[in-house]
Amino acid sequence: MKSLVLAEKPSVGKEIARVLGCKKRGEGYIEGDRYIVTWSLGHLITLSDPEDYDDKYKKWSMDYLPMLPKKMKLSIIKNTSKQYRTVSALTKRNDVGELIIATDSGREGELVARWIMAKCGWKGQTKRLWISSQTDKAIKDGFASLKDAKLYDDLYKSAQSRAHADWIVGLNISRALTCKFNASLSAGRVQTPTLALIVEREKAINSFKPKEYYTVNVKTEAFTALYKAKNGIARMFDKNQADAIAKSVTGKQGKITSLTSDKRETPPPAAYDLTELQRDANKKYGYSAKETLSAMQSLYEYHKVLTYPRTDSRYITEDVAETLEERLRALLLTPYGSTAKEILKNKIQTKYIVNSAKVTDHHAIIPTEQKPNLADMSSKERGIYDLVVKRFLAVLMPPFKYEETKLVFECEGYSFHAKGKVPLENGWKTVYGIAVAEDEDADDDEKSQSLPPLKKDSVWGVKQVKLNTAKTKPPARYNEATLLSAMEHPTVDDKNLNKVLVETSGLGTPATRADIIEKLFSSFCIERNGKEILPTKKGIQLIELVPPDLKSAVMTAKWEERLAQISKGKADSKKFIAEMEDYTKGLVDSVKASTHKYKHENATKEQCPECGEVLLDINGKKGRLYVCSNPDCHYRRSLSVNTNARCPECHKAMQIRGEGEKRSFYCVCGYREKVKDFEARREKDGASKFEVKNFMAKQARESKDFNNTLAAQLEKWKNS
């Protein structure tokens, strides 16, 4: 009898087949003497649409809400139905005696496999491959120690509960909002509180009134010091007070009344989890959370040089620590080789990376034992790999040690403060090429400086006094890095509820946050201004329309807490779903009773050529387009598409506008060029016809993606 191995993606399935010695290729599978390896294409099965339960749900009407099926149905996804039929046929072969789940080792991976098994009617013996990397060694070791699939039944119940709850809440509230306000509106347990964060930040910025404040610095021959009041605050909002201090100490002498020097150390930062990696990639490279996850997935599945990406752990277990030497040796012939060699020469320090108690389903993201081929990586993959490897090396190194000196300079009864740092051992900072200590976190004028040898009670003359004037700043708008942080660590006023937020993963999970942000862009609830993320007028109105409970970070945190308990067998999934149904009834009733009005702030004077309703001017992620305001109409027309083509005059990215022969590149500096002229110029300047063709094909694909139907947006209930 043979074992049927079900992987999540073709690329993973083919690698597993190679390691297992399967060589006979079939349509959607690869077969060997002992194993048959097949794969899904992500999800092959999904929860059925409302109209599959009752024809009346084909019409979006308040009269049929809430929709609460007695039993949730599963449907085959049409686009991937061919592969489903392949998998289903394989499960029914007489020579297949067991099924091995080899989908991603996590909640969603479990759901992918179990739904396929349920739809196929599989009742046979089932085992689970649970690995954190895709190296040959990891795959061989995993198959040598397969788990009983029953051990993951609770994880499946948790995943299924999440999907059911998202369907019940997401589809009902989205239909209710759309029907009530005659606009394409959607909401969900994660996307709505995330949008609320962005909207609340924008309100805080708009209501902010800057206040002028003052600080006073004195400069001596040896140091510069900042005036601070007895409460330690340097800022003064009374100019007369600041003037009086500056005038009083000008040309006077003062004495160092306090001088302390302490040896301190800063431990290396913890290894990466996905969210921390997405933050740093956004800060350093400007990558979106989605781009980072995509690059990570490739480094994990194709290059096999990094471990499982969708993790919320920043530590490793004791057994993984035993493999650190092998992972370091894999880096010896890379640009990181000298650092890896230095770590290997000494005893590998695991103090800052090993903590089994803080490891959940998967450990931190670290390099595998596979030797990397850097030349084979794309620029994005190379950037992400660089971040992970440097963090991995840093966390295995000693702390950064320095001596910190602080002094208080008294002059005319006023206290001025100064501080300085002297590096003693750079430790982990050498990985990043840092030779001196930076004071990156200082938020006022008291920056670290180089201090000469000083003595307490020594007298110094004030050579210069500087009165600084500035204004308080509003809170900064979110970018993807800071939004990811806010989603991971949302806060509320209630201390007990804050504890819930701390103990759970916050809004969403590392695996879903990137998709949530992308969905908010694609539904035109948020938009970009450079790196800043702003709510659109639609997004602002939506937060006013949704029931208050749905936009609370606490609600979704409680969901995740319950789901985590279900995955550990400590909570009842049926009870959870029953509570979600009651919760949904309340949400729908709240929308029905709402007296709010929705106004299309971006309405144009043009009418939809298909239904006659007014067209909306949308500033989408990839450019501008007209979208019909009628939720039942799918008409949309592209006005401009953002491109990567650079203006020959100012080198800024250009847009494509117009249709047919009139399609032209436009730049903000005023430069214009027809697309056909651009193609000719690119070819003349050295780009091959093939390169030009590829570039234009890519722009055409993006334009096509940009014009997807409105129906695609209504799939937001998944992971929302």
Side-chain angles (χ1 to χ4, degrees), residues 635-639 656-664:
Y635 177 80
R636 52 179 54 198
R637 183 171 83 243
S638 174
L639 301 177
I656 292 179
R657 302 177 194 170
E659 298 176 355
E661 289 293 318
K662 295 183 179 180
R663 291 180 75 228
S664 299

Side-chain angles (χ1 to χ4, degrees), residues 227-246:
Y227 166 76
K228 287 187 177 182
K230 290 181 179 179
N231 59 6
I233 296 175
R235 294 182 179 184
M236 294 169 279
F237 293 94
D238 184 344
K239 189 174 187 299
N240 292 330
Q241 179 191 2
D243 283 333
I245 294 171

Side-chain angles (χ1 to χ4, degrees), residues 150 189 224 277 295 463 557 615 670 718:
K150 291 180 180 178
R189 67 179 177 97
T224 299
L277 179 60
K463 299 296 183 183
L615 292 177
K718 290 183 180 177

Side-chain angles (χ1 to χ4, degrees), residues 46 49 77 171 186 191 519 710-720:
T46 187
D49 291 329
I77 298 174
L171 286 190
S186 67
Q191 69 182 52
K519 285 175 183 178
L710 188 61
Q713 292 180 39
L714 298 179
E715 204 176 358
K716 292 182 183 66
W717 60 271
K718 290 183 180 177
N719 294 326
S720 64

Side-chain angles (χ1 to χ4, degrees), residues 574-588:
K574 292 182 180 179
K575 184 178 179 182
F576 172 72
I577 294 301
E579 291 173 6
M580 289 302 101
E581 290 179 346
D582 289 340
Y583 175 67
T584 299
K585 291 175 184 176
L587 289 177
V588 172

Side-chain angles (χ1 to χ4, degrees), residues 600-612:
H600 290 294
E601 299 286 350
N602 53 345
T604 69
K605 294 181 180 180
E606 288 198 36
Q607 289 183 321
C608 174
E610 294 185 4
C611 72

